[in-house]
Each structure stands twice: as structure tokens, then as C-alpha cells.
Amino acid sequence: MAGRGAVQLWIGAGLSGFFCLAGLLSLVWTPYDVTVLDIGNKLAPPSAEHLLGTDHLGRDMLSMIMAGARTSIAVALVAVGIGIGLGVPLGLWAAARKGSLTDEIVMRGNDLVFAFPSLVIAILITAVFGPSAVNAIIAIGIFNIPVFARVARGAALTLWTQDFILAARVAGKKSARISVEHILPNIANLLIVQGTIQFSLGILAEAGLSYVGLGTQPPTPSWGRMLADAQTFFYGNPSLAILPGLAIVLTVLGLNLMGDGLRDALDPRLQRSIR
Amino acid sequence: MGYILSRLISLVVSLAAASVVIFAAVEVVPGDPAAFMLGLNASEDTIAALRAELGLDGSVLERYVGWVGGMLTGDFGTSYTYRVPVADLVSQRIVVSLPLAGYALLLSTLLAVPAGLVAAAWRGRAPDYGIMAASQLGIAVPNFWFAMLLVLAFAITWKIFPAGGFPGWEAGFWAGMRALTLPAIALALPQAAILARVLRSALIEQTGQDYIRTARAKGLSSGAALRRHGLRNAMIPVLTILGLQFSFLLAGAIIIENVFFLPGLGRLIFQGITQRDLVVVESVTMLLVCAVIVVTFLVDIAYALVDPRLRRR
């Protein structure tokens, strides 16, 4: 079974790495400029000049997909960063004071966030503060906080009962220092696995928000927006909708495979968390 | 009884907390809700008139108590754009959203339970790999994109189902179900993929148990032992997921209802947002969150019914 995990890991890393690289490359180079419209050349089929054809405004689809990768991946990555940056300290703090009022408040707050249908609240946030990529990041990021808090607390609690932590306490270290020096390195594996899962969910969420017009705003290209634009020209030009969708599916699939593979590689006993 | 009471208390606390969060997000954070609703070009007089209409002149506490009190007595306020009570809008829309969610949940269960059983019974062999690969793909597909593909295949290429819209239940049961079929499939597929995976691992956990060995010893095939005895014991994680999926289905429906132009609750919220009709947004959001919290409560109670050991806790 170890072999299968490794295969998953490499296929997943290859797929998601490919789109991450495409997004990075788009920062410095795309085949065509996506901010320049060429209406005379709109809805062109794939050709030597435009490998994937052009969209309804004459923009090169390959360039759009590359630039869209940049947006989707950046939004999801920052949202994961928010989740780790705020959720992990909260979880560690709650674990260090298990059973205290702090622990209770952190965990009940988590339950509350889980009770909300995430998309409803994301839509509410973008509606109140206005649709933008930044507000989409905040809306997605908020829901990553309780996820990471829960994972960090659960893993930290089992560590707190172990002898090497007891030794550190006997040595007179404060609980905050123990959390950072001893607990955090030991739960890093778990956090990385959860991180890839949240990363893939973030890409799906960004696509959904942008698709209904509450995420990334034009002219910034994003896969969700491309799908929304494609809907009007769907009948004659299905490839406009199929290409960005495939990009989303392959990236998310790659991240999920990578998460599964990493989990097997880092700790075979680890249970996949419920999503 | 103690178990049910503790769940009941947590139900009430969650509902109260959710109402505070939604009220704060909609009415306090944007500053003056009346000015927000009317936009930049509104005159002082219209804003003042709307403030009076919405009862915004009272203190924040008075407004909150008024809103919650109204919700409890079935008064969800009056929509600013539609000029009708929100309760009327909700009752028109819920007859689309609820059947859609139920239809999708049914499809997802019908797909996932056999798939999970087959994968668990043939663990590590071809059917298992096939089902797991398919479910991996199902999780990665955004449901609105899958919806677009379904429209392309079954509404444009082969004209079997309508591409969108809802004729109303007056047009007959089958006409309504036909309009809901593609949206329900689009909603159900990713849910079925998750459910099949959870069911498979829950069942595999059961295969090592003594009671399964006993059932095998008395002559049941491994598949029959899993079906008759394993399935019931694997129900707890499955129930959790089904409860969670209800909230996904409600939220996912917001986007799917937009793809298919279905006049459901999700589309109502969405229209409320684009028209800045805060009364609609606030009350319908609360209603959706309330539905999710109540379903979570019911799932907790269902645990106790499935597993009598929990009742004694």
C-alpha cells in the first residue's frame, strides 16, 4: 500500500504543481496580454496562434487559464494562511489550557462557525463589504480558522500527556514555550495534510464565489469568472466553459491526491478528517 | 433524557449566537442600513423615510429584540424591493428549495450506499479502486460546472430535460420533477462521492469486529454480513455526513439555483444581495442557518436512536 500512496503523491504533486507553475509563469509571461481585447478575433477555434482558441472578447484562452490559475491559487493560498495563522495558535492555546474557560470558548466558537453553511456566510460577507478578491479571501479564510484550530487542539491534546512534554515542564518551561518548541513541530505533518485539503476546498470556493459574481472582479481573470462569462456563449462554444472547468478539476484533484499521498507517507495511522 | 436536554440547550445557545452574528453583520457593520440599501444617489428624505419604515430610529438592542421577536411569531419583515412580507416570499420559494434538497439527498444516498458497500466488500480489488477513483473525481468537480455539462448534454444536445426555469407545481408533479432533475443530479454527485468514501471506511472498520466474524461463521457471505450487520453499525459517521450534507445542499443550492434559474430560497438570498434588500437577506439567512442547526440537533438525537449506548451518557 505504501507504493500506492507514493504514486498518488507524485501524480497529485505533478498536477497541482503544473497549474501552480503556470500561475507563477503568468506573472512574468503569458502568450498574449489578457488585458488587451481583440473583438475582431473573438470566439476563434484553436489554431497555431491561439492553442486553445479565444474567448468572447478575443482574449487568448491559454493566457486566460494561466492568469486565472494565479488568481485562484493566490486566493486559496492566502485563505489557508489565515486559517493556519489564526487557527493553529488558538488550537494550541486551547489544548494547553484543556478544560478551562478559554478552551470552552474556543471550542464553542468553533462549533458556531461550523453551524453556518459556509457559502451562505461567504456570500453575506462579500455582500456587506462589497464583492472583491480580498473579501473572498477573508470569507474563505474565516472558515479555515476553526478547521485548523480543531486539528491543532486534537493533536496537541494527545501530545500533552506524553513524557517528553512532562520533562519539558519539569525543566521549568512555560506552556506557551512548550507549545511552540515541542508541540508545533510534532503536529506539523498533520497541519500540512489538512493544509492541502483546505487549499483544494479554497479553490472550489473561490470558483463558486467568482462564478456568481461575488469574488474576483473583472478585468482580473479567474476560472470562476470565465465559467460565468462562458455561460452566454455555451451553445456554440462549449470549450469556453469546458477548459476553465477542467483546470479547476485537475488542480483540485491534484491537491486531494497529494493530500492523501502525504498522509500515507507521513503517518500511515492517520485518519482522513471528515469533510 | 440528560442527553436530549444537553443537546436542546446547545440548540438554543447556537440559535441565539447565530442570530446575534447575522444581525450584527447585516445591520450594525455597514453603518446606516437605510443608506446602504438605497445606494449613493438617494436623497436625505428617502433615506429618512426608509429609516422610519424599517424602525431604524430605535436603539440597536430594541431593533434586535424586535427582529427576533418577529421571527419567533412568523413575522420576517417586509421586503423593500418586492413590497410583500418576507414570509410570503419564503413560502413561495421553499416549495422549490426543499424538494430540490430532498431529491438531491435521495439521489446521493441511492448512489453512495451501494457504491460504499461494493467498495468495502471488494476492498483492495478492482471494484474498490474503480469506485474510489470515481469518488476522488466527484469531490474535485465544482457542482455548478457539472451542472453546465449536464445542461450541455441533456438539455442542448439531447433535449430530454429543460435547461432551466421552473414551471411551478401547478403544471403537474412530473413537470416539476423534470425541471428539478438536472439540478438535483448536479447537487447530488459531489455529495455522493463524499458519502461513499465515508461509508466505505466506516464499513471497513466494522469488518474486523467480532460480530461480523460470528455472522460469517454462521454461514453469511462477507457481503451479506456487511449489509445485515455492518451497515447499521456504520450509520453514525454516515448520519453525521448526511446532516452536514443538508447544509451543503442548502448552500450549494444558492449557486445551482442560479445556474438553472430556479425560483428557490438560494436565488431569493442572491437577489436580495444584488438588490441590497437587507430585510430579505437577514431573515432568509437566519432561516437557512436555523434549518442547519435544527438538522444538526436532529442528527444528534438520531445517534441516540441508532446507538442506545449513547442514551445512557
Side-chain angles (χ1 to χ4, degrees):
Chain A
M1 289 309 265
R4 195 174 140 237
V7 172
Q8 276 193 347
L9 179 58
W10 288 114
I11 295 178
L15 273 176
S16 43
F18 174 76
F19 283 98
C20 287
L21 281 179
L24 274 179
L25 181 62
S26 79
L27 286 172
V28 288
W29 177 82
T30 49
Y32 289 84
D33 187 346
V34 293
T35 57
V36 176
L37 310 182
D38 180 10
I39 306 287
N41 201 13
K42 69 176 180 188
L43 301 173
S47 63
E49 290 97 71
H50 299 283
L51 286 177
L52 299 176
T54 62
D55 72 358
H56 63 295
L57 296 174
R59 292 172 294 189
D60 178 53
M61 280 298 278
L62 179 60
S63 310
M64 289 291 284
I65 300 259
M66 286 173 67
R70 178 176 70 205
T71 317
S72 298
I73 288 167
V75 168
L77 207 58
V78 178
V80 170
I82 292 176
I84 291 181
L86 294 174
V88 172
L90 272 180
L92 289 176
W93 191 29
R97 287 172 176 63
K98 183 183 184 294
S100 71
L101 190 64
T102 318
D103 183 26
E104 194 62 22
I105 292 172
V106 168
M107 292 323 287
R108 291 292 83 78
N110 273 346
D111 288 346
L112 185 67
V113 179
F114 275 118
F116 282 78
S118 50
L119 198 69
V120 172
I121 300 308
I123 285 176
L124 198 64
I125 289 174
T126 49
V128 171
F129 297 102
S132 73
V134 174
N135 288 337
I137 290 174
I138 295 171
I140 301 167
I142 283 181
F143 286 93
N144 283 334
I145 298 173
V147 173
F148 284 103
R150 186 160 292 202
V151 170
R153 177 179 176 274
L157 278 182
T158 55
L159 284 173
W160 271 101
T161 61
Q162 295 196 356
D163 289 344
F164 75 101
I165 299 292
L166 188 65
R169 292 175 81 171
V170 171
K173 288 188 180 175
K174 292 263 165 44
S175 59
R177 199 170 148 204
I178 295 177
S179 290
V180 173
E181 287 180 7
H182 301 286
I183 308 265
L184 195 55
N186 281 295
I187 64 171
N189 286 352
L190 262 175
L191 296 177
I192 291 170
V193 171
Q194 194 64 44
T196 53
I197 293 170
Q198 296 310 117
F199 190 7
S200 80
L201 290 177
I203 286 182
L204 284 175
E206 193 277 336
L209 283 176
S210 297
Y211 173 73
V212 291
L214 295 173
T216 315
Q217 295 300 302
T220 313
S222 101
W223 292 337
R225 273 227 66 85
M226 290 170 74
L227 285 176
D229 291 342
Q231 212 163 13
T232 328
F233 308 94
F234 204 36
Y235 189 81
N237 305 79
S239 73
L240 289 191
I242 290 172
L243 290 172
L246 274 181
I248 297 173
V249 171
L250 291 176
T251 311
V252 171
L253 186 65
L255 286 168
N256 286 342
L257 287 176
M258 196 164 93
D260 281 2
L262 272 177
R263 190 196 56 215
D264 290 351
L266 296 174
D267 185 347
R269 287 162 305 158
L270 230 75
Q271 286 286 317
R272 186 185 184 86
S273 69
I274 292 167
R275 308 193 271 144
Chain B
M1 272 325 279
Y3 175 71
I4 293 185
L5 194 69
S6 81
R7 298 325 305 163
L8 212 62
I9 292 171
S10 117
L11 170 82
V12 173
V13 172
S14 316
L15 284 177
S19 70
V20 171
V21 171
I22 292 174
F23 181 82
V26 174
E27 292 212 12
V28 182
V29 178
D32 183 353
F36 178 83
M37 283 169 72
L38 291 169
L40 289 175
N41 299 324
S43 71
E44 288 293 328
D45 292 347
T46 34
I47 293 179
L50 182 61
R51 287 184 65 88
E53 186 192 320
L54 296 175
L56 290 180
D57 298 319
S59 70
V60 169
L61 188 67
E62 279 170 14
R63 278 154 51 198
Y64 173 73
V65 171
W67 175 59
V68 171
M71 294 275 288
L72 287 175
T73 54
D75 172 16
F76 297 172
T78 303
S79 159
Y80 182 69
T81 40
Y82 294 97
R83 290 283 160 197
V84 287
V86 176
D88 290 0
L89 288 174
V90 167
S91 59
Q92 288 163 19
R93 306 296 185 107
I94 208 160
V95 297
V96 179
S97 288
L98 222 49
L100 176 60
Y103 195 179
L105 208 57
L106 183 74
L107 286 180
S108 121
T109 314
L110 286 180
L111 203 62
V113 170
L117 272 169
V118 167
W122 275 275
R123 176 155 63 120
R125 283 180 278 163
D128 183 22
Y129 287 136
I131 288 170
M132 283 301 99
S135 74
Q136 190 71 266
L137 198 62
I139 290 172
V141 171
N143 60 13
F144 58 93
W145 182 63
F146 184 55
M148 291 168 84
L149 296 187
L150 286 174
V151 169
L152 189 64
F154 298 108
I156 295 178
T157 312
W158 302 292
K159 297 183 172 50
I160 305 173
F161 293 105
F166 187 72
W169 294 109
E170 313 81 74
F173 178 73
W174 292 113
M177 290 305 272
R178 250 189 77 192
L180 292 185
T181 298
L182 290 186
I185 296 174
L187 279 171
L189 184 92
Q191 306 301 324
I194 297 172
L195 193 59
R197 293 180 84 86
V198 172
L199 181 60
R200 171 184 175 272
S201 46
L203 282 172
I204 285 174
E205 226 164 80
Q206 301 298 327
T207 49
Q209 304 281 328
D210 290 340
Y211 71 88
I212 292 281
R213 205 174 315 142
T214 312
R216 296 275 285 127
K218 70 175 199 195
L220 284 184
S221 71
S222 66
L226 269 185
R227 262 197 319 278
R228 290 225 206 129
H229 302 283
L231 200 54
R232 189 181 163 104
N233 281 288
M235 277 317 277
I236 291 234
V238 170
L239 275 175
T240 313
I241 292 298
L242 279 178
L244 280 176
Q245 293 202 334
F246 184 74
S247 88
F248 282 123
L249 285 174
L250 279 177
I254 296 183
I255 293 181
I256 290 294
E257 283 174 7
N258 272 296
V259 177
F260 289 97
F261 303 102
L262 292 176
L265 283 180
R267 207 165 154 71
L268 182 62
I269 279 202
F270 193 73
Q271 284 165 340
I273 284 168
T274 45
Q275 293 158 350
R276 299 194 162 200
D277 192 338
L278 290 183
V279 186
V280 167
V281 174
E282 185 177 52
S283 293
V284 180
T285 308
M286 186 62 214
L287 213 62
L288 285 180
V289 172
C290 183
V292 172
I293 293 176
V294 170
V295 168
T296 314
F297 168 75
L298 292 178
V299 168
D300 283 346
I301 300 297
Y303 285 162
L305 295 178
V306 173
D307 187 348
R309 279 167 296 186
L310 273 178
R311 275 179 236 163
R312 270 183 260 117
R313 255 208 339 215

Coordinates of all heavy atoms in Angstrom, one line a residue, chain B residues 253-301:
Chain B
A253 N -27.2 25.0 -3.2 CA -28.3 25.3 -4.0 C -28.3 26.8 -4.4 O -28.9 27.1 -5.4 CB -29.6 25.0 -3.2
I254 N -27.7 27.7 -3.6 CA -27.6 29.1 -4.0 C -27.0 29.2 -5.4 O -27.6 29.9 -6.2 CB -26.8 29.9 -3.0 CG1 -27.5 29.9 -1.6 CG2 -26.6 31.3 -3.5 CD1 -26.8 30.7 -0.6
I255 N -25.9 28.5 -5.6 CA -25.2 28.6 -6.9 C -26.0 27.8 -7.9 O -26.2 28.3 -9.0 CB -23.8 28.2 -6.8 CG1 -23.0 29.2 -5.9 CG2 -23.1 28.0 -8.1 CD1 -21.6 28.9 -5.7
I256 N -26.4 26.6 -7.6 CA -27.1 25.8 -8.6 C -28.4 26.4 -9.0 O -28.8 26.4 -10.2 CB -27.4 24.3 -8.0 CG1 -26.0 23.6 -7.9 CG2 -28.3 23.6 -8.8 CD1 -25.4 23.3 -9.2
E257 N -29.2 27.0 -8.0 CA -30.4 27.7 -8.4 C -30.2 28.8 -9.4 O -31.0 29.1 -10.2 CB -31.1 28.2 -7.2 CG -31.8 27.1 -6.4 CD -32.4 27.5 -5.1 OE1 -32.4 28.7 -4.8 OE2 -32.9 26.7 -4.3
N258 N -29.0 29.4 -9.3 CA -28.7 30.5 -10.2 C -28.3 29.9 -11.6 O -28.6 30.6 -12.6 CB -27.5 31.3 -9.7 CG -28.0 32.5 -8.8 OD1 -28.7 33.3 -9.3 ND2 -27.7 32.4 -7.5
V259 N -27.7 28.8 -11.6 CA -27.4 28.2 -12.9 C -28.6 27.8 -13.7 O -28.8 28.1 -14.9 CB -26.5 26.9 -12.7 CG1 -26.2 26.2 -14.1 CG2 -25.2 27.2 -12.0
F260 N -29.6 27.3 -13.0 CA -30.8 26.8 -13.6 C -32.0 27.8 -13.5 O -33.1 27.4 -13.9 CB -31.3 25.4 -13.0 CG -30.4 24.3 -13.3 CD1 -29.3 23.9 -12.5 CD2 -30.5 23.6 -14.5 CE1 -28.5 22.9 -12.8 CE2 -29.7 22.6 -14.9 CZ -28.7 22.2 -14.0
F261 N -31.8 29.0 -13.0 CA -32.8 30.0 -12.9 C -34.0 29.4 -12.1 O -35.2 29.5 -12.6 CB -33.3 30.5 -14.2 CG -32.1 31.2 -15.0 CD1 -31.5 30.5 -16.0 CD2 -31.6 32.4 -14.6 CE1 -30.4 31.0 -16.6 CE2 -30.5 33.0 -15.2 CZ -29.9 32.3 -16.3
L262 N -33.8 28.7 -11.0 CA -34.9 28.1 -10.2 C -35.3 29.2 -9.2 O -34.4 29.7 -8.5 CB -34.4 26.9 -9.5 CG -34.1 25.6 -10.4 CD1 -33.6 24.5 -9.6 CD2 -35.4 25.2 -11.1
P263 N -36.6 29.4 -9.0 CA -37.0 30.4 -8.0 C -37.0 29.8 -6.6 O -38.1 29.6 -6.0 CB -38.4 30.8 -8.5 CG -38.9 29.5 -9.2 CD -37.7 28.8 -9.8
G264 N -35.9 29.5 -6.1 CA -35.8 28.9 -4.7 C -35.3 29.9 -3.7 O -35.1 31.1 -4.0
L265 N -35.0 29.4 -2.5 CA -34.5 30.3 -1.4 C -33.2 30.9 -1.7 O -32.9 32.0 -1.4 CB -34.5 29.5 -0.1 CG -35.8 29.2 0.6 CD1 -35.5 28.5 1.9 CD2 -36.5 30.6 1.0
G266 N -32.3 30.0 -2.3 CA -31.0 30.5 -2.6 C -31.0 31.7 -3.6 O -30.3 32.7 -3.4
R267 N -31.8 31.6 -4.6 CA -31.9 32.7 -5.5 C -32.5 33.9 -4.9 O -32.2 35.0 -5.2 CB -32.8 32.2 -6.7 CG -32.4 33.0 -8.0 CD -33.0 32.3 -9.2 NE -33.2 33.4 -10.2 CZ -32.1 34.0 -10.8 NH1 -30.9 33.6 -10.6 NH2 -32.4 34.9 -11.7
L268 N -33.4 33.7 -3.9 CA -34.0 34.8 -3.2 C -33.0 35.5 -2.4 O -32.9 36.8 -2.5 CB -35.1 34.2 -2.2 CG -35.9 35.3 -1.4 CD1 -36.7 36.2 -2.3 CD2 -36.8 34.6 -0.4
I269 N -32.1 34.8 -1.7 CA -31.0 35.5 -1.0 C -30.1 36.2 -1.9 O -29.7 37.4 -1.7 CB -30.1 34.4 -0.3 CG1 -30.7 34.0 1.1 CG2 -28.7 35.0 0.0 CD1 -29.7 33.4 2.0
F270 N -29.8 35.6 -3.0 CA -28.9 36.2 -4.0 C -29.5 37.4 -4.6 O -28.8 38.5 -4.7 CB -28.6 35.2 -5.1 CG -27.4 35.6 -6.0 CD1 -26.2 35.5 -5.5 CD2 -27.7 36.1 -7.2 CE1 -25.1 35.9 -6.2 CE2 -26.6 36.5 -8.0 CZ -25.3 36.4 -7.5
Q271 N -30.8 37.4 -4.9 CA -31.4 38.6 -5.4 C -31.5 39.7 -4.4 O -31.3 40.9 -4.6 CB -32.9 38.3 -5.9 CG -32.9 37.5 -7.2 CD -34.2 36.9 -7.5 OE1 -35.0 36.7 -6.6 NE2 -34.5 36.6 -8.8
G272 N -31.7 39.3 -3.1 CA -31.7 40.2 -2.0 C -30.4 40.9 -1.9 O -30.3 42.1 -1.7
I273 N -29.3 40.2 -2.1 CA -28.0 40.8 -2.0 C -27.7 41.8 -3.2 O -27.3 42.9 -3.0 CB -26.9 39.7 -2.0 CG1 -26.9 39.0 -0.6 CG2 -25.5 40.3 -2.4 CD1 -26.0 37.8 -0.6
T274 N -28.1 41.3 -4.4 CA -27.8 42.2 -5.5 C -28.7 43.5 -5.5 O -28.3 44.5 -5.9 CB -27.9 41.5 -6.9 OG1 -29.1 40.7 -6.8 CG2 -26.8 40.6 -7.2
Q275 N -29.9 43.3 -4.9 CA -30.8 44.5 -4.8 C -30.7 45.2 -3.5 O -31.4 46.1 -3.2 CB -32.2 44.0 -5.0 CG -32.5 43.5 -6.4 CD -33.7 42.6 -6.4 OE1 -34.3 42.2 -5.4 NE2 -34.2 42.3 -7.6
R276 N -29.7 44.8 -2.7 CA -29.4 45.4 -1.4 C -30.7 45.4 -0.5 O -30.9 46.3 0.2 CB -28.9 46.8 -1.5 CG -27.6 46.9 -2.3 CD -27.0 48.2 -2.2 NE -25.6 48.1 -2.5 CZ -24.7 49.0 -2.2 NH1 -25.0 50.0 -1.4 NH2 -23.4 48.9 -2.5
D277 N -31.5 44.3 -0.6 CA -32.7 44.3 0.2 C -32.3 43.5 1.5 O -32.4 42.3 1.6 CB -33.8 43.5 -0.6 CG -35.1 43.6 0.1 OD1 -35.1 43.9 1.3 OD2 -36.1 43.4 -0.6
L278 N -31.8 44.3 2.5 CA -31.2 43.7 3.7 C -32.3 42.9 4.5 O -31.9 42.0 5.2 CB -30.6 44.8 4.6 CG -29.3 45.5 4.0 CD1 -28.8 46.5 5.0 CD2 -28.3 44.4 3.8
V279 N -33.5 43.4 4.4 CA -34.6 42.7 5.2 C -34.7 41.2 4.7 O -34.7 40.3 5.5 CB -35.9 43.4 5.0 CG1 -37.0 42.7 5.9 CG2 -35.8 44.9 5.3
V280 N -34.7 41.0 3.4 CA -34.7 39.7 2.8 C -33.5 38.9 3.2 O -33.5 37.8 3.7 CB -34.9 39.7 1.3 CG1 -34.6 38.4 0.7 CG2 -36.3 40.2 0.9
V281 N -32.3 39.5 3.0 CA -31.0 38.8 3.3 C -31.0 38.4 4.7 O -30.7 37.2 5.0 CB -29.8 39.8 3.0 CG1 -28.5 39.1 3.4 CG2 -29.8 40.1 1.5
E282 N -31.3 39.3 5.6 CA -31.2 39.0 7.0 C -32.1 37.8 7.5 O -31.7 36.8 8.1 CB -31.5 40.2 7.8 CG -31.3 40.1 9.3 CD -31.7 41.5 9.9 OE1 -32.8 42.1 9.6 OE2 -30.8 42.0 10.7
S283 N -33.3 37.9 7.1 CA -34.3 36.9 7.5 C -34.1 35.5 6.9 O -34.2 34.5 7.5 CB -35.7 37.4 7.3 OG -36.0 38.5 8.1
V284 N -33.8 35.6 5.5 CA -33.6 34.3 4.9 C -32.3 33.6 5.3 O -32.3 32.4 5.5 CB -33.7 34.5 3.3 CG1 -33.5 33.1 2.6 CG2 -35.0 35.1 2.9
T285 N -31.3 34.4 5.5 CA -30.0 33.8 6.0 C -30.3 33.1 7.4 O -29.9 32.0 7.6 CB -28.9 34.9 6.2 OG1 -28.8 35.6 5.0 CG2 -27.6 34.2 6.6
M286 N -31.0 33.8 8.3 CA -31.3 33.3 9.6 C -32.1 32.0 9.4 O -31.8 31.0 10.1 CB -32.1 34.3 10.4 CG -32.3 33.9 11.8 SD -30.8 33.7 12.8 CE -31.2 32.4 13.9
L287 N -33.0 32.0 8.5 CA -33.8 30.8 8.3 C -33.0 29.6 7.8 O -33.1 28.5 8.3 CB -34.9 31.1 7.2 CG -36.2 30.4 7.3 CD1 -36.9 30.9 8.6 CD2 -37.1 30.8 6.1
L288 N -32.0 29.9 6.9 CA -31.2 28.8 6.4 C -30.3 28.2 7.6 O -30.2 27.0 7.8 CB -30.3 29.3 5.3 CG -31.0 29.4 3.9 CD1 -29.9 29.9 2.9 CD2 -31.6 28.1 3.5
V289 N -29.7 29.2 8.3 CA -28.8 28.8 9.4 C -29.6 28.0 10.5 O -29.2 27.0 11.0 CB -28.1 30.0 10.0 CG1 -27.4 29.6 11.3 CG2 -27.2 30.7 9.0
C290 N -30.8 28.5 10.7 CA -31.7 27.9 11.7 C -32.0 26.4 11.2 O -31.9 25.5 12.0 CB -33.0 28.7 11.7 SG -34.1 28.1 12.9
A291 N -32.2 26.2 9.9 CA -32.5 24.9 9.4 C -31.3 24.0 9.6 O -31.5 22.8 10.1 CB -32.8 25.0 7.9
V292 N -30.1 24.5 9.4 CA -28.9 23.7 9.6 C -28.7 23.3 11.0 O -28.4 22.1 11.3 CB -27.7 24.5 9.1 CG1 -26.4 23.7 9.4 CG2 -27.7 24.7 7.6
I293 N -28.9 24.3 11.9 CA -28.7 24.0 13.4 C -29.8 23.0 13.8 O -29.4 22.0 14.6 CB -28.8 25.3 14.2 CG1 -27.6 26.2 13.8 CG2 -28.8 25.0 15.7 CD1 -27.6 27.5 14.5
V294 N -31.0 23.1 13.4 CA -32.0 22.2 13.8 C -31.7 20.8 13.2 O -31.9 19.8 13.9 CB -33.4 22.6 13.3 CG1 -34.5 21.5 13.5 CG2 -33.8 23.9 14.1
V295 N -31.2 20.7 12.0 CA -30.9 19.4 11.4 C -29.8 18.7 12.2 O -29.8 17.5 12.6 CB -30.5 19.5 9.9 CG1 -29.9 18.2 9.5 CG2 -31.7 19.8 9.1
T296 N -28.7 19.5 12.6 CA -27.7 19.0 13.4 C -28.2 18.4 14.7 O -27.8 17.4 15.2 CB -26.7 20.1 13.8 OG1 -26.4 20.9 12.6 CG2 -25.4 19.6 14.3
F297 N -29.2 19.2 15.3 CA -29.8 18.7 16.6 C -30.5 17.4 16.3 O -30.4 16.4 17.1 CB -30.8 19.8 17.0 CG -31.7 19.3 18.1 CD1 -31.3 19.1 19.4 CD2 -33.1 19.0 17.8 CE1 -32.2 18.7 20.4 CE2 -33.9 18.6 18.8 CZ -33.5 18.5 20.1
L298 N -31.3 17.3 15.2 CA -32.0 16.0 14.9 C -31.0 14.9 14.7 O -31.3 13.7 15.1 CB -32.9 16.2 13.7 CG -34.1 17.2 13.9 CD1 -34.8 17.4 12.6 CD2 -35.0 16.7 15.0
V299 N -29.9 15.2 14.1 CA -28.9 14.1 13.8 C -28.4 13.6 15.2 O -28.2 12.4 15.4 CB -27.7 14.6 12.9 CG1 -26.6 13.7 12.9 CG2 -28.2 14.9 11.5
D300 N -28.1 14.5 16.1 CA -27.6 14.1 17.4 C -28.6 13.2 18.1 O -28.3 12.3 18.8 CB -27.4 15.4 18.3 CG -26.1 16.1 17.9 OD1 -25.3 15.5 17.2 OD2 -25.9 17.2 18.4
I301 N -29.9 13.6 17.9 CA -31.0 12.7 18.5 C -31.0 11.4 17.8 O -31.2 10.3 18.5 CB -32.4 13.4 18.4 CG1 -32.3 14.8 19.1 CG2 -33.5 12.6 19.0 CD1 -32.1 14.7 20.6

